[in-house]
Structures are given as structure tokens and as C-alpha cells.
């Protein structure tokens, strides 16, 4: 189930329930999509305003990219549920003899690899949202610049939250090369997005302070 067509209230009810899904991975995707939606909001409140006519083309391009990312991040919710269910199904396979044990182990490793790559993809999408926020804060309607700041913080929360799902699945992967490459990828993403998030936050704060 994707949950993307559910109400906010019903999604939160599902998140709070005893069910394993939706969980933190789905929440990360929602955080990222919220960040993208806020970028879109700032853009929509900028486009058509005479004061911002010189940057309208750039803002329209930002809007198109933000809307694409919002849709992709909502789809990532379904991917998170799917891979979690696949991992659980693999662990539930029979292990009564050596052949079954080997098949079960192979299925678990395959499922864990996908369950690592899905949150990594989510983190990359959220990082793209962060990449839109500086230009949104610089070029967007100053009356809603605080929303550009909230956007970057939501997207950064998505990156960090998705990273935790990468780490938890890496822990069970026996292929050291695969695990190492994904760990390097997520840690580079965490470092880059942390710097950019802080820079955008300070930019927004300065604008709000009139500096």
C-alpha cells in the first residue's frame, strides 16, 4: 500500500499503529515530499508577481523540478513498504534442511540489498530538494522566505532519516564491497546536505532579520 492517497490523519494513524509499515522509511519520504511542496509553495507565490518578473523563468524551472521530486518522494513510500515486506518474507522462508537454508540466506541477502538501495534513493531525492532551496530562498517571494527555510529542514530530516534505514540494512549484508559502497554514498550525502542545509538556514535567518 502506498498511503499517498490517504489523509494525513489516516497516514499518522497507520504510522502510530502496531503494524510494521508504514514506518520510518515512509515517514522519511513524506518529510522529503513536504520539503518539495514548500519549495513549490514559495515558487507559486512568486510567479506572476511584477516585482519578481526578472526571475520568473528561473522560478518556474524550480517549480517544475520541485513538483517532480514531490511526486517521486510520494512514490518512495510504496517502495519502502514493498522492500520491508520482502525482507520479512525472506526471513520467514523455511530452513529445515541445507538447501532451504541456502535459499533462505540468498533471499535475505537479496532483499537486504534492495532494502538498502531504496532508502538511499529516497535520501538522494531529498538531497535534490535541498539543492533547490537556496535558489528558492534567494529568488522567491521574500514574504514566504521562511517557508524555504522550513523546506530545507524538512528535506534534511528526510535525508538523515533515510540514512538510518540504509545503515540498519547494511548491518545484515555479507557482501562487504556492496555494504562499503552504500555506506560511503550515504555518508557523503549526509556531509554535503548538512553543509548546504545550514547555509540555507542561515541565509533565510538573515533575510528574516533584515541583514
Amino acid at each position: 500500500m502506498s498511503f499517498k492517497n490517504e489523509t494525513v490523519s489516516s497516514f499518522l494513524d497507520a504510522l502510530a499503529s502496531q503494524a510494521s509499515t508504514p514506518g520510518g522509511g515512509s515517514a522519511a519520504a513524506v518529510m522529503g515530499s513536504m520539503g518539495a511542496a514548500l519549495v513549490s509553495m514559495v515558487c507559486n507565490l512568486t510567479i506572476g508577481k511584477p516585482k519578481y518578473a526578472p526571475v520568473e523563468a528561473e522560478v518556474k524551472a524550480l517549480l517544475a523540478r520541485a513538483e517532480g521530486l514531490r511526486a517521486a518522494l510520494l512514490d518512495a513510500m510504496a517502495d519502502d513498504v514493498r522492500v520491508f515486506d520482502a525482507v520479512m518474507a525472506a526471513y520467514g522462508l523455511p530452513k529445515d534442511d541445507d538447501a532451504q537454508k541456502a535459499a533462505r540466506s540468498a533471499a535475505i541477502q537479496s532483499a537486504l540489498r534492495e532494502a538498502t538501495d531504496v532508502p538511499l534513493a529516497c535520501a538522494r531525492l531529498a538531497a535534490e530538494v535541498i539543492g533547490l532551496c537556496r535558489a528558492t530562498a534567494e529568488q522567491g517571494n521574500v514574504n514566504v522566505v521562511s517557508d524555504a527555510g522550513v523546506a530545507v529542514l524538512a528535506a534534511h530530516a528526510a535525508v538523515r532519516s533515510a540514512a538510518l534505514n540504509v545503515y540498519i540494512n547494511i548491518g545484515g549484508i555479507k557482501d562487504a564491497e556492496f555494504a562499503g559502497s552504500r555506506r560511503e554514498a550515504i555518508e557523503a550525502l549526509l556531509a554535503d546536505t548538512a553543509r548546504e542545509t545550514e547555509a540555507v538556514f542561515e541565509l533565510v535567518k538573515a533575510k528574516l532579520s533584515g541583514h
Side-chain angles (χ1 to χ4, degrees):
M1 185 174 183
S2 72
F3 294 98
K4 72 177 184 178
N5 294 320
E6 299 293 315
T7 65
V8 171
S9 179
S10 62
F11 173 72
L12 292 178
D13 285 344
L15 200 62
S17 74
Q18 292 181 332
S20 299
T21 54
S26 294
V30 171
M31 292 175 203
S33 65
M34 287 172 60
L38 284 166
V39 169
S40 293
M41 172 192 167
V42 176
C43 292
N44 279 319
L45 288 169
T46 304
I47 294 166
K49 300 286 193 299
K51 178 180 177 180
Y52 299 99
V55 296
E56 181 154 322
E58 292 91 333
V59 174
K60 284 182 175 178
L62 287 170
L63 175 60
R65 290 174 63 194
E67 285 299 280
L69 288 167
R70 179 160 70 102
L73 281 156
L74 282 180
D75 288 339
M77 294 171 61
D79 292 336
D80 173 72
V81 172
R82 176 180 56 79
V83 295
F84 181 87
D85 289 345
V87 170
M88 291 299 98
Y91 276 108
L93 291 173
K95 48 182 177 178
D96 298 328
D97 56 40
D98 288 344
Q100 288 183 345
K101 288 177 181 177
R104 176 177 177 271
S105 178
I108 289 170
Q109 290 302 304
S110 177
L112 286 174
R113 284 193 291 272
E114 189 174 15
T116 298
D117 281 343
V118 162
L120 179 56
C122 179
R124 284 171 170 155
L125 289 170
E128 289 188 51
V129 176
I130 291 172
L132 303 180
C133 291
R134 182 191 293 270
T136 304
E138 289 175 340
Q139 299 178 344
N141 189 329
V142 70
N143 293 321
V144 286
V145 69
S146 61
D147 295 288
V150 177
V152 79
L153 295 174
H156 191 220
V159 172
R160 298 189 74 187
S161 300
L164 295 179
N165 284 294
V166 172
Y167 286 126
I168 194 171
N169 289 303
I170 281 176
I173 293 174
K174 296 177 181 178
D175 183 339
E177 182 178 350
F178 178 96
S181 69
R182 272 46 175 193
R183 184 176 288 106
E184 286 179 11
I186 195 61
E187 290 183 352
L189 206 59
L190 285 169
D192 290 345
T193 56
R195 285 191 295 270
E196 183 63 6
T197 297
E198 186 62 22
V200 174
F201 180 82
E202 290 299 325
L203 168 64
V204 170
K205 191 170 71 170
K207 284 203 166 198
L208 294 172
S209 303
H211 297 148

